[in-house]
Amino acid sequence: MLEIKELLLKRGEFTLGRLSLNVPEHSYFVILGQTGSGKTMLLESIAGLQQIEGAISFDGREITQLPPEERGFGFVYQDFALFPNMRVRENILFASSLRAIEDIEELFEDVTAFLGIKDILQRSITHLSGGEKQRVAIARAICSRPKLLLLDEPLSAVDPTFRTSIMISLKQIVSRYGISIIHVTHNFREATFLADHIAIMMHGKIVQSGDAEEVLHRPMTLEVAKFLGFRNILPGSLLGKSPQRLFSVNPNAVLFSRTRQDREYCIESTIEEMVIQADLNKVIVTSSGHKLYAKVPKNMFEKLHLQTGETLYACMADKDIVWLPEAIDAGAGR
Amino acid sequence: MRNGRFFVSLFLLLGSVIVLFLLVPVGKLLISVGLLRILDTISQPEVYSSIWLTLSTAFYAVLFVAVTGIPLAYLIARYDFWGKSLLESLLDIPVMVPHTAAGIALLIAFGNGWMDRVGLGFIDSTTGIMAAMMFLSAPFLINGAKEGFRKADPKLERVARTLGAGPMRTFWRIALPNARGDIINGALMMWSRALGEFGAVVIIAYHPMVAPVLIYDRFNSFGLKFSAPVAAAMILVSVLLFLVVRFVNNRLGDQ
């Protein structure tokens, strides 16, 4: 549906691209990247708000030179950018004041009910909370009947208590209004919850993109793995493989035992540190000079009577091991 | 607490000195002439038409700069281009030059007859008066508008574009309304400067007489007694107009 080819954009010191990206129809596409990785610029390029090199096409039609008003992509900024010279209702109906929008009354009724903003339509936008402003900005974008909705960090200025409910609404937009969403964020929990496709962006480039499950569980580089919150990134030599290969293991999937267990990997290690917490205990062990971090449930911890300095086996199943591809790692680790 | 009270008292005292200095001459003038004589003076055809000439010419000057200077201010606020900061400094020059010098410069540029040939006139004409007023006060409106556009978040305009508004509609519906306060303030500043313009106007057009020239003329020919009522009338009319414009603007802003 949306296809970006070799996009390049330079602004001062910063270079975005070259990057290529494919956004499938009816998808919730999350672009995940750190602050300053160029996510907003990429969204603005898609919307036609930045002059770029390269090509963007939508539904097979080249739109690279099309001005934003002719692209029909809705945009929601991080700080919402509501028009201060208009009330809530006029903000939402702005697009329909410019041109005829199909069944606008019906759409307006539906969107304002769906987002729960019927009671604030007459208000001035200066008296809205962060969550309300955000929903008004989304309603305004949907009421232009966009072909694609671009969301720039839409949850970062919203009170954490409302985030989950807004995320649920966001997820429903795709099927309810039949539009695809491109959502940029630095928060991988948002991505985990919302995305069915993910692209990881670093230093102005897309470093990995694909099916959400695939990207979240199979990072292609060390940098991506670290960014996605992978712990225990260790050399393969610990598991009897090549030391050049790196693997990662989920801290919840490490089983401690005094005897070898029926698991693919059991490595001898020494307990270095234990942190006692409410629901589980954190245990850090060392093996051949490498630190392995594990979370041990309370009951297990008490049964084993673990002691600092004690040597025991840390066992892991093959299914819990994520191997990071070595060829790309050599590049990422440079 | 005691220290705080001393601090406020001291600043209050210093502040009242300048307030008195600014208000006493105006108040004294209005009181010494008296409302009846002011009204009587305004009703004299010569005074009446002179005040009207001043107000209307200054208004046209503001209008001209609104149409040409607001687009310029928008360009400066929103786009980066070669020579932008030089252009901004050049635009401030008229504020710094002596007014009579500005009058001479205008005379040299426009007073050599070509304005007459295109039917606009210059020397001793309202066009000349308007030019003199405009030259010395345009930066107030341009800078006010520039400030207003700079304060407004450009993202508002970008969103408007994504919602289907072209550049022109975005300017009218979003950029202009959100910079309105600063533009109106700038326009009022420009207008008030234009109303009081004397130095440049007197060089280009002694006649028809704008109010500042009329006050000067009467003072020179007949003395204080005859010029004071005209001065008082001019002050009263401009203060009233100011209050009305501010009031209307605030009411519109509250909607």
Side-chain angles (χ1 to χ4, degrees), chain A residues 175-238:
Chain A
S175 50
R176 192 179 178 109
Y177 300 105
I179 36 184
S180 296
I181 291 180
I182 301 180
H183 171 140
V184 307
T185 178
H186 64 275
N187 183 328
F188 76 93
R189 284 176 213 287
E190 267 173 54
T192 315
F193 185 89
L194 291 166
D196 40 51
H197 291 81
I198 290 182
I200 309 268
M201 195 165 173
M202 281 173 171
H203 321 299
K205 288 192 163 63
I206 301 284
V207 289
Q208 186 174 352
S209 118
D211 181 70
E213 285 285 304
E214 181 69 22
V215 174
L216 288 172
H217 294 107
R218 299 270 168 233
M220 274 164 55
T221 72
L222 181 61
E223 213 183 0
V224 172
K226 282 182 179 161
F227 177 58
L228 290 175
F230 277 76
R231 307 293 300 260
N232 294 328
I233 297 174
L234 298 162
S237 52
L238 278 182

Side-chain angles (χ1 to χ4, degrees), chain A residues 17-78:
Chain A
R18 297 183 175 265
L19 63 83
S20 299
L21 200 62
N22 250 316
V23 179
E25 202 159 352
H26 298 301
S27 63
Y28 202 113
F29 197 104
V30 172
I31 297 171
L32 191 55
Q34 278 133 334
T35 312
S37 60
K39 294 169 295 181
T40 303
M41 266 194 193
L42 176 57
L43 275 197
E44 289 189 338
S45 305
I46 295 171
L49 297 164
Q50 299 275 3
Q51 274 289 328
I52 56 146
E53 282 178 41
I56 302 178
S57 58
F58 186 82
D59 280 342
R61 182 180 165 221
E62 159 105 27
I63 57 164
T64 320
Q65 298 304 326
L66 222 54
E69 61 270 23
E70 286 170 35
R71 294 194 188 196
F73 297 165
F75 204 114
V76 177
Y77 273 106
Q78 184 171 2

